[in-house]
Amino acid sequence: VAERGPGAAYHMFVLMEDLLDKLKLLSYEEEVLRRHNMRPLSRCPSPAPPGGWRRRGLRIFTIFSPFLNRHYFALPTNPGEQFFMFCTLAAWLITKAGHPFEQPQEYDDPNAIISNVLSELRSFGRPVDFPPSKLKAGYGEQACYVLDCLAEEALKYTGFSWKRPAYPTEELEEEEITEDDAELTLNKLEEDVAEEESDNEENFIDLNVLKAQTYRSDMNDSAKHEEILQSTIDAAEWNLEVERVLPQLKVTVRTDNKDWRIHVDQMHQHKDGIESSLKETRGYLDKLHNEISRTLEKINSREKYINNQLEHLVQEYRSAQALLSEAKEKYQEGSGGVTERIRVLSEITEVLERVKQETEEKGSSMTDGAPLVKIKQALTKLKQETIQMDIQIGVMEHTLLQSKLKEKSNMTRDMHATMISEATIGAY
């Protein structure tokens, strides 16, 4: 997670949101949930799967949180239920994508189911870079990834294509405000006061001029007060004028939803409603409580009765369990001795095989006549070589004798020639 970034831990929630939308596009409610008598993932929980899954300890429990159901395969709730739902949806999506795939049955091996699903996913060209054991829990990023890829392949096979959203044009309704000249609103008063204050702030005020104006206004007010004190207007006319001007002096305050008074009033209203509803429902709840208490008492009494009736069977079962445990201990002891003897037997067998092999080698070497034949062949070859050497020696002796005789005859001839030449020289 640290290598991919801090937001990688929440990637499976995004995958689950996309997966739920794709399943709705593929009409999984009609084709999967109704066929297997299940509830949608975004609402109430699913019922229990077939008996084989329950016998393996994969009992299904109810889940009431809508957040968990909306992120069903992203958060761990019940591994048995989630694995069953994962296998069911995976098989349906693979079949929807054009590859026939059998629905997992009661006694199927979970490892075989996971390997078949991953092989189908690889056949679609999707990479699988995580171990298959990650899918045994039935939740997590890997489960969301597998189902999301299969849903995409199913959408491609059905010819579905995403289009740009067409937003409807909303016409803004102009609020018709009927302004009554006879009513003076508080907002208008505040706007008028704010405008007057801004105008006064923009203009510079001279203190001397302000004093003179104040003095004049005081003089005029005193004169007016004197005139009012000496007024001669009839009271009936004054009342008529007051009734005519009174609607214009009416101030209406608009209610603001953010005002704390509105929230207090709402809290009081809700409190009164809760109290009134509680008075009606308390009787039903008390009645339900009493019925549940009586039912629990009946169940406890029935359980005690059954235990008393089956006491002898329980005793027989316990004795059978004790005998079984003793037999298992004896079997383990016997199996340990057998294992040791098997090991000794294997060692003796290895030694015996080695001795047999050496004996066979020696016996074969003793009864084999190949060495004698080789010796005879060698002797024959030596005789032939001896005869050839004798012949060569005789030839050499003959050649040596011939050379000696030739040398002797040459010496004799030379001696005769020398004697003849001396006699010839003496005669002359």
Side-chain angles (χ1 to χ4, degrees):
V1 175
E3 296 178 355
R4 295 187 293 170
Y10 305 97
H11 181 61
M12 56 184 173
F13 295 95
V14 180
L15 283 177
M16 185 59 204
E17 294 282 345
D18 296 338
L19 173 62
L20 196 56
D21 294 335
K22 292 172 185 176
L23 291 176
K24 289 180 180 179
L25 291 173
L26 292 169
S27 302
Y28 83 106
E29 296 180 359
E30 291 79 7
E31 298 186 12
V32 179
L33 301 181
R34 292 183 181 176
R35 183 181 300 174
H36 297 280
N37 193 16
M38 300 177 182
R39 299 287 183 85
L41 301 183
S42 60
R43 292 201 292 271
C44 294
S46 304
W53 299 87
R54 190 184 299 108
R55 281 192 289 273
R56 296 185 181 186
L58 306 180
R59 181 177 292 277
I60 306 303
F61 295 94
T62 57
I63 303 166
F64 295 96
S65 176
F67 177 77
L68 292 179
N69 289 318
R70 182 66 181 172
H71 303 90
Y72 186 78
F73 292 110
L75 296 174
T77 56
N78 186 3
E81 176 190 3
Q82 290 174 316
F83 183 74
F84 173 72
M85 184 65 71
F86 170 78
C87 296
T88 303
L89 289 177
W92 174 70
L93 289 173
I94 292 171
T95 307
K96 196 78 173 176
H99 292 188
F101 193 88
E102 294 182 0
Q103 188 69 26
Q105 300 299 324
E106 298 179 0
Y107 302 101
D108 291 345
D109 188 10
N111 296 321
I113 296 172
I114 292 172
S115 62
N116 293 333
V117 171
L118 292 179
S119 63
E120 292 292 339
L121 186 62
R122 292 189 186 96
S123 65
F124 290 118
R126 298 283 184 166
V128 179
D129 54 354
F130 54 86
S133 60
K134 293 287 185 180
L135 299 177
K136 278 189 177 181
Y139 66 89
E141 185 177 359
Q142 291 78 13
C144 296
Y145 168 75
V146 171
L147 292 176
D148 186 71
C149 294
L150 293 176
E152 288 183 1
E153 296 296 332
L155 289 173
K156 289 180 183 178
Y157 185 80
T158 54
F160 179 83
S161 61
W162 298 97
K163 298 179 181 179
R164 291 183 176 274
Y167 298 103
T169 57
E170 298 180 356
E171 297 180 356
L172 298 176
E173 297 180 357
E174 297 181 358
E175 297 180 359
E176 296 180 0
I177 301 174
T178 57
E179 295 182 357
D180 191 359
D181 295 335
E183 294 182 356
L184 182 63
T185 60
L186 184 61
N187 295 329
K188 289 184 179 180
L189 288 174
E190 292 177 355
E191 292 175 0
D192 294 337
V193 172
E195 290 177 359
E196 289 178 1
E197 289 178 357
S198 62
D199 294 336
N200 293 330
E201 289 177 357
E202 292 177 357
N203 299 326
F204 294 98
I205 301 174
D206 192 358
L207 293 176
N208 295 325
V209 176
L210 182 59
K211 288 180 180 179
Q213 290 179 356
T214 305
Y215 179 74
R216 292 192 192 112
S217 62
D218 291 339
M219 293 297 292
N220 294 330
D221 290 340
S222 62
K224 290 179 180 178
H225 289 313
E226 291 178 357
E227 291 178 358
I228 291 171
L229 291 174
Q230 297 176 0
S231 177
T232 58
I233 300 173
D234 190 5
E237 294 179 359
W238 183 261
N239 291 328
L240 291 174
E241 184 66 19
V242 171
E243 291 178 358
R244 186 183 67 83
V245 179
L246 184 61
Q248 297 180 3
L249 299 177
K250 184 179 179 182
V251 178
T252 58
V253 180
R254 293 182 179 179
T255 59
D256 189 6
N257 293 327
K258 296 181 180 179
D259 191 5
W260 62 272
R261 297 180 184 84
I262 302 300
H263 295 292
V264 171
D265 295 337
Q266 290 178 357
M267 289 169 63
H268 287 298
Q269 292 176 2
H270 292 313
K271 181 182 177 182
D272 296 337
I274 290 170
E275 290 179 353
S276 62
S277 300
L278 183 59
K279 291 179 181 178
E280 296 178 359
T281 56
R282 182 173 294 174
Y284 297 106
L285 292 175
D286 293 337
K287 184 178 179 182
L288 182 61
H289 175 70
N290 295 329
E291 290 179 356
I292 292 173
S293 301
R294 288 195 298 271
T295 305
L296 289 175
E297 291 177 357
K298 290 180 181 178
I299 291 172
N300 291 327
S301 62
R302 189 64 178 172
E303 184 179 359
K304 291 178 180 178
Y305 175 75
I306 292 173
N307 290 330
N308 294 327
Q309 292 293 326
L310 301 178
E311 184 66 26
H312 63 285
L313 296 176
V314 173
Q315 294 295 332
E316 291 178 0
Y317 176 74
R318 289 176 182 174
S319 60
Q321 285 282 37
L323 294 174
L324 179 61
S325 61
E326 292 178 359
K328 285 183 178 180
E329 291 178 358
K330 292 180 180 179
Y331 172 75
Q332 290 177 357
E333 293 176 357
S335 62
V338 171
T339 304
E340 183 66 23
R341 288 177 176 79
I342 289 172
R343 185 183 62 80
V344 174
L345 178 63
S346 62
E347 293 178 357
I348 295 171
T349 305
E350 290 179 358
V351 174
L352 180 61
E353 291 292 334
R354 186 166 59 252
V355 171
K356 284 183 179 180
Q357 186 176 0
E358 292 177 357
T359 305
E360 288 178 357
E361 290 178 355
K362 289 182 179 180
S364 61
S365 61
M366 292 174 65
T367 57
D368 192 7
L372 183 61
V373 173
K374 290 181 180 179
I375 291 170
K376 289 181 179 180
Q377 291 177 357
L379 289 173
T380 304
K381 189 175 181 180
L382 285 173
K383 289 180 180 179
Q384 291 177 358
E385 290 179 354
T386 303
I387 292 169
Q388 290 178 0
M389 290 295 293
D390 292 339
I391 293 170
Q392 290 178 359
I393 290 170
V395 171
M396 292 296 293
E397 290 177 353
H398 180 72
T399 303
L400 182 62
L401 181 61
Q402 289 292 332
S403 62
K404 286 181 178 180
L405 291 174
K406 188 176 180 180
E407 184 178 0
K408 186 176 181 180
S409 62
N410 290 332
M411 291 175 64
T412 305
R413 190 178 60 232
D414 292 339
M415 291 176 63
H416 286 295
T418 304
M419 292 175 64
I420 291 173
S421 60
E422 289 180 352
T424 303
I425 292 170
Y428 288 106

Coordinates of all heavy atoms in Angstrom, one line a residue, residues 11-57:
H11 N -9.0 1.8 -2.7 CA -9.3 1.5 -4.1 C -10.3 0.4 -4.2 O -11.1 0.4 -5.2 CB -8.0 1.0 -4.7 CG -8.1 0.7 -6.2 ND1 -8.5 1.6 -7.1 CD2 -8.0 -0.5 -6.9 CE1 -8.6 1.1 -8.3 NE2 -8.3 -0.2 -8.2
M12 N -10.4 -0.6 -3.3 CA -11.3 -1.7 -3.4 C -12.8 -1.1 -3.2 O -13.7 -1.7 -3.7 CB -11.0 -2.7 -2.4 CG -11.0 -2.3 -0.9 SD -10.5 -3.7 0.1 CE -10.3 -2.8 1.7
F13 N -13.0 0.0 -2.4 CA -14.3 0.5 -2.3 C -14.8 1.1 -3.7 O -16.0 0.9 -4.0 CB -14.3 1.6 -1.2 CG -14.0 1.1 0.1 CD1 -12.7 1.1 0.6 CD2 -15.0 0.6 0.9 CE1 -12.5 0.6 1.9 CE2 -14.8 0.1 2.2 CZ -13.5 0.1 2.7
V14 N -13.9 1.7 -4.4 CA -14.2 2.2 -5.7 C -14.5 1.1 -6.7 O -15.5 1.1 -7.5 CB -13.1 3.1 -6.3 CG1 -13.4 3.6 -7.6 CG2 -12.8 4.2 -5.3
L15 N -13.7 0.0 -6.6 CA -14.0 -1.2 -7.4 C -15.4 -1.8 -7.1 O -16.1 -2.2 -8.0 CB -12.9 -2.2 -7.2 CG -11.6 -2.0 -7.9 CD1 -10.6 -3.1 -7.5 CD2 -11.7 -1.9 -9.4
M16 N -15.7 -1.8 -5.8 CA -17.0 -2.4 -5.4 C -18.2 -1.6 -5.9 O -19.2 -2.1 -6.4 CB -17.0 -2.6 -3.9 CG -18.3 -3.3 -3.4 SD -18.5 -4.9 -4.1 CE -20.2 -5.2 -4.0
E17 N -18.0 -0.2 -5.9 CA -19.1 0.7 -6.4 C -19.3 0.4 -7.9 O -20.4 0.3 -8.4 CB -18.7 2.1 -6.2 CG -18.6 2.5 -4.7 CD -20.0 2.7 -4.1 OE1 -21.0 2.9 -4.9 OE2 -20.1 2.8 -2.9
D18 N -18.1 0.4 -8.7 CA -18.3 0.1 -10.1 C -18.8 -1.3 -10.4 O -19.6 -1.5 -11.3 CB -16.9 0.2 -10.8 CG -16.3 1.6 -10.7 OD1 -17.1 2.6 -10.5 OD2 -15.1 1.8 -10.7
L19 N -18.4 -2.3 -9.6 CA -18.9 -3.6 -9.8 C -20.4 -3.7 -9.6 O -21.1 -4.3 -10.4 CB -18.2 -4.6 -8.8 CG -18.7 -6.0 -8.8 CD1 -18.6 -6.7 -10.1 CD2 -18.0 -6.8 -7.7
L20 N -21.0 -3.0 -8.6 CA -22.4 -3.1 -8.3 C -23.2 -2.4 -9.5 O -24.2 -2.9 -9.9 CB -22.7 -2.4 -7.0 CG -24.1 -2.7 -6.4 CD1 -24.3 -4.1 -6.2 CD2 -24.2 -2.0 -5.1
D21 N -22.6 -1.3 -10.0 CA -23.3 -0.7 -11.2 C -23.3 -1.6 -12.4 O -24.3 -1.8 -13.1 CB -22.6 0.6 -11.5 CG -22.8 1.6 -10.4 OD1 -23.8 1.5 -9.6 OD2 -22.0 2.5 -10.3
K22 N -22.2 -2.3 -12.6 CA -22.1 -3.2 -13.8 C -23.0 -4.4 -13.6 O -23.6 -4.9 -14.6 CB -20.6 -3.7 -13.9 CG -19.7 -2.6 -14.4 CD -18.2 -3.0 -14.3 CE -17.3 -1.8 -14.7 NZ -15.9 -2.2 -14.6
L23 N -23.1 -4.9 -12.3 CA -24.0 -6.0 -12.1 C -25.5 -5.6 -12.4 O -26.3 -6.4 -12.9 CB -23.9 -6.6 -10.7 CG -22.5 -7.3 -10.4 CD1 -22.5 -7.6 -8.9 CD2 -22.4 -8.5 -11.2
K24 N -25.8 -4.4 -12.0 CA -27.2 -3.9 -12.3 C -27.4 -3.8 -13.8 O -28.5 -4.1 -14.3 CB -27.4 -2.6 -11.6 CG -27.5 -2.7 -10.1 CD -27.7 -1.3 -9.5 CE -27.8 -1.4 -7.9 NZ -28.0 -0.1 -7.3
L25 N -26.4 -3.4 -14.5 CA -26.5 -3.3 -16.0 C -26.7 -4.7 -16.6 O -27.4 -4.9 -17.6 CB -25.3 -2.6 -16.6 CG -25.1 -1.1 -16.3 CD1 -23.8 -0.6 -16.8 CD2 -26.3 -0.3 -16.9
L26 N -26.1 -5.7 -16.0 CA -26.2 -7.1 -16.5 C -27.5 -7.8 -16.0 O -27.6 -9.0 -16.2 CB -25.0 -7.9 -16.1 CG -23.7 -7.5 -16.8 CD1 -22.5 -8.2 -16.1 CD2 -23.7 -7.8 -18.3
S27 N -28.3 -7.1 -15.2 CA -29.6 -7.6 -14.7 C -29.3 -8.9 -13.8 O -29.9 -9.9 -13.9 CB -30.5 -8.0 -15.8 OG -30.8 -6.9 -16.6
Y28 N -28.4 -8.7 -12.8 CA -28.0 -9.8 -11.9 C -29.2 -10.1 -11.0 O -29.2 -11.2 -10.4 CB -26.8 -9.5 -11.2 CG -26.9 -8.6 -9.9 CD1 -26.9 -9.2 -8.7 CD2 -27.2 -7.3 -10.0 CE1 -27.0 -8.4 -7.5 CE2 -27.4 -6.5 -8.9 CZ -27.3 -7.1 -7.7 OH -27.4 -6.3 -6.6
E29 N -30.0 -9.1 -10.7 CA -31.1 -9.4 -9.8 C -32.1 -10.4 -10.3 O -32.6 -11.3 -9.6 CB -31.9 -8.1 -9.5 CG -31.0 -7.1 -8.8 CD -31.8 -5.8 -8.5 OE1 -33.0 -5.7 -8.9 OE2 -31.2 -4.9 -7.9
E30 N -32.4 -10.3 -11.6 CA -33.3 -11.3 -12.2 C -32.7 -12.6 -12.5 O -33.3 -13.7 -12.4 CB -33.9 -10.7 -13.5 CG -34.9 -9.5 -13.3 CD -34.1 -8.2 -13.1 OE1 -32.9 -8.3 -13.2 OE2 -34.8 -7.2 -12.8
E31 N -31.4 -12.6 -13.0 CA -30.8 -13.9 -13.4 C -30.0 -14.6 -12.4 O -29.8 -15.8 -12.5 CB -29.8 -13.5 -14.6 CG -30.4 -12.9 -15.8 CD -29.5 -12.7 -16.9 OE1 -28.4 -13.3 -16.8 OE2 -29.8 -12.0 -17.9
V32 N -29.6 -14.0 -11.3 CA -28.8 -14.7 -10.3 C -29.6 -14.7 -8.9 O -29.8 -15.8 -8.4 CB -27.5 -14.0 -10.1 CG1 -26.7 -14.7 -9.0 CG2 -26.7 -14.0 -11.3
L33 N -30.0 -13.5 -8.5 CA -30.6 -13.5 -7.1 C -31.9 -14.2 -7.0 O -32.2 -14.9 -6.1 CB -30.8 -12.0 -6.7 CG -29.5 -11.2 -6.7 CD1 -29.7 -9.8 -6.2 CD2 -28.4 -11.8 -5.8
R34 N -32.8 -14.0 -8.0 CA -34.1 -14.7 -8.0 C -33.9 -16.2 -8.2 O -34.7 -17.0 -7.7 CB -35.0 -14.0 -9.0 CG -35.4 -12.6 -8.7 CD -36.4 -12.0 -9.7 NE -36.8 -10.7 -9.4 CZ -37.6 -9.9 -10.1 NH1 -38.1 -10.4 -11.2 NH2 -37.8 -8.7 -9.8
R35 N -33.0 -16.5 -9.1 CA -32.8 -18.0 -9.4 C -32.3 -18.7 -8.1 O -32.7 -19.8 -7.9 CB -31.8 -18.1 -10.5 CG -31.6 -19.6 -10.9 CD -30.6 -19.7 -12.0 NE -31.0 -18.9 -13.2 CZ -30.2 -18.7 -14.3 NH1 -29.0 -19.2 -14.3 NH2 -30.7 -18.0 -15.3
H36 N -31.4 -18.1 -7.3 CA -30.9 -18.7 -6.1 C -31.6 -18.2 -4.9 O -31.1 -18.5 -3.8 CB -29.4 -18.4 -6.0 CG -28.6 -19.0 -7.2 ND1 -28.2 -20.3 -7.2 CD2 -28.1 -18.4 -8.3 CE1 -27.5 -20.5 -8.3 NE2 -27.4 -19.4 -9.0
N37 N -32.7 -17.5 -5.0 CA -33.5 -17.0 -3.9 C -32.6 -16.2 -2.9 O -32.5 -16.4 -1.7 CB -34.1 -18.2 -3.1 CG -35.1 -17.7 -2.1 OD1 -35.6 -16.6 -2.2 ND2 -35.5 -18.6 -1.2
M38 N -32.0 -15.1 -3.5 CA -31.1 -14.3 -2.7 C -31.7 -12.8 -2.8 O -32.5 -12.5 -3.6 CB -29.7 -14.3 -3.3 CG -29.0 -15.6 -3.2 SD -27.4 -15.5 -4.0 CE -26.9 -17.2 -3.9
R39 N -31.1 -12.0 -1.9 CA -31.5 -10.6 -1.8 C -30.4 -9.8 -2.5 O -29.2 -10.2 -2.6 CB -31.7 -10.1 -0.4 CG -32.8 -10.9 0.4 CD -34.1 -10.4 -0.1 NE -35.2 -11.1 0.7 CZ -35.6 -10.6 1.8 NH1 -35.1 -9.5 2.3 NH2 -36.6 -11.2 2.5
P40 N -30.7 -8.6 -3.0 CA -29.7 -7.7 -3.6 C -28.6 -7.4 -2.6 O -28.8 -7.3 -1.4 CB -30.4 -6.5 -4.1 CG -31.8 -6.9 -4.2 CD -32.0 -8.0 -3.2
L41 N -27.4 -7.1 -3.1 CA -26.3 -6.8 -2.2 C -26.4 -5.4 -1.5 O -25.9 -5.2 -0.5 CB -25.0 -6.8 -3.0 CG -24.6 -8.1 -3.7 CD1 -23.3 -8.0 -4.4 CD2 -24.6 -9.2 -2.8
S42 N -27.2 -4.5 -2.1 CA -27.3 -3.2 -1.6 C -28.4 -3.0 -0.6 O -28.6 -2.0 0.0 CB -27.5 -2.2 -2.7 OG -28.7 -2.5 -3.4
R43 N -29.2 -4.1 -0.3 CA -30.3 -4.0 0.6 C -30.1 -5.1 1.7 O -29.1 -5.2 2.3 CB -31.6 -4.2 -0.1 CG -31.9 -3.0 -1.0 CD -33.4 -3.0 -1.3 NE -33.9 -4.2 -2.1 CZ -33.9 -4.2 -3.4 NH1 -33.5 -3.1 -4.1 NH2 -34.3 -5.2 -4.1
C44 N -31.1 -6.0 1.9 CA -31.1 -6.9 3.0 C -30.1 -8.0 2.7 O -29.6 -8.2 1.6 CB -32.5 -7.5 3.2 SG -33.6 -6.2 3.7
P45 N -29.8 -8.8 3.7 CA -28.8 -9.9 3.6 C -29.3 -11.1 2.8 O -30.5 -11.2 2.5 CB -28.5 -10.3 5.0 CG -29.7 -10.0 5.7 CD -30.3 -8.7 5.1
S46 N -28.4 -11.9 2.4 CA -28.7 -13.1 1.6 C -29.0 -14.3 2.5 O -28.6 -14.3 3.6 CB -27.5 -13.5 0.7 OG -27.1 -12.4 -0.1
P47 N -29.9 -15.2 2.0 CA -30.2 -16.4 2.8 C -29.1 -17.4 2.8 O -28.1 -17.2 2.2 CB -31.4 -16.9 2.1 CG -31.3 -16.5 0.7 CD -30.6 -15.2 0.8
A48 N -29.3 -18.5 3.6 CA -28.2 -19.5 3.7 C -28.1 -20.2 2.4 O -29.0 -20.5 1.6 CB -28.6 -20.5 4.8
P49 N -26.8 -20.6 2.0 CA -26.6 -21.4 0.8 C -27.0 -22.9 1.0 O -27.5 -23.2 2.1 CB -25.1 -21.3 0.6 CG -24.5 -21.1 2.0 CD -25.6 -20.3 2.7
P50 N -26.7 -23.7 0.0 CA -27.1 -25.1 0.2 C -26.4 -25.8 1.4 O -25.5 -25.3 2.0 CB -26.6 -25.8 -1.1 CG -26.7 -24.6 -2.1 CD -26.3 -23.4 -1.3
G51 N -26.9 -27.0 1.7 CA -26.5 -27.7 2.9 C -25.0 -28.0 3.0 O -24.5 -28.0 4.1
G52 N -24.4 -28.3 1.9 CA -23.0 -28.6 1.9 C -22.2 -27.5 2.4 O -21.2 -27.7 3.1
W53 N -22.5 -26.3 2.0 CA -21.7 -25.1 2.5 C -21.9 -25.0 4.0 O -21.0 -24.6 4.8 CB -22.1 -23.9 1.8 CG -21.9 -23.9 0.3 CD1 -22.7 -24.4 -0.6 CD2 -20.7 -23.5 -0.4 NE1 -22.1 -24.3 -1.9 CE2 -20.9 -23.8 -1.7 CE3 -19.5 -23.0 0.1 CZ2 -19.9 -23.4 -2.7 CZ3 -18.5 -22.6 -0.9 CH2 -18.8 -22.9 -2.2
R54 N -23.2 -25.2 4.5 CA -23.4 -25.1 5.9 C -22.7 -26.2 6.7 O -22.2 -25.9 7.8 CB -25.0 -25.2 6.2 CG -25.3 -24.8 7.6 CD -26.8 -25.0 7.8 NE -27.6 -24.1 7.0 CZ -28.3 -24.6 5.9 NH1 -28.4 -25.9 5.7 NH2 -29.1 -23.8 5.2
R55 N -22.7 -27.4 6.1 CA -22.0 -28.5 6.8 C -20.5 -28.2 7.0 O -19.8 -28.8 7.8 CB -22.2 -29.8 6.1 CG -23.6 -30.4 6.4 CD -23.7 -31.8 5.9 NE -23.7 -31.9 4.5 CZ -24.8 -31.8 3.8 NH1 -26.0 -31.7 4.4 NH2 -24.8 -32.0 2.5
R56 N -19.9 -27.4 6.0 CA -18.5 -27.1 6.1 C -18.3 -25.9 7.1 O -17.1 -25.4 7.2 CB -18.0 -26.7 4.8 CG -18.0 -27.9 3.8 CD -17.3 -27.6 2.5 NE -17.4 -28.7 1.6 CZ -16.8 -28.7 0.4 NH1 -16.0 -27.7 0.1 NH2 -16.8 -29.8 -0.4
G57 N -19.3 -25.5 7.8 CA -19.1 -24.4 8.7 C -19.3 -23.0 8.1 O -19.0 -22.0 8.7

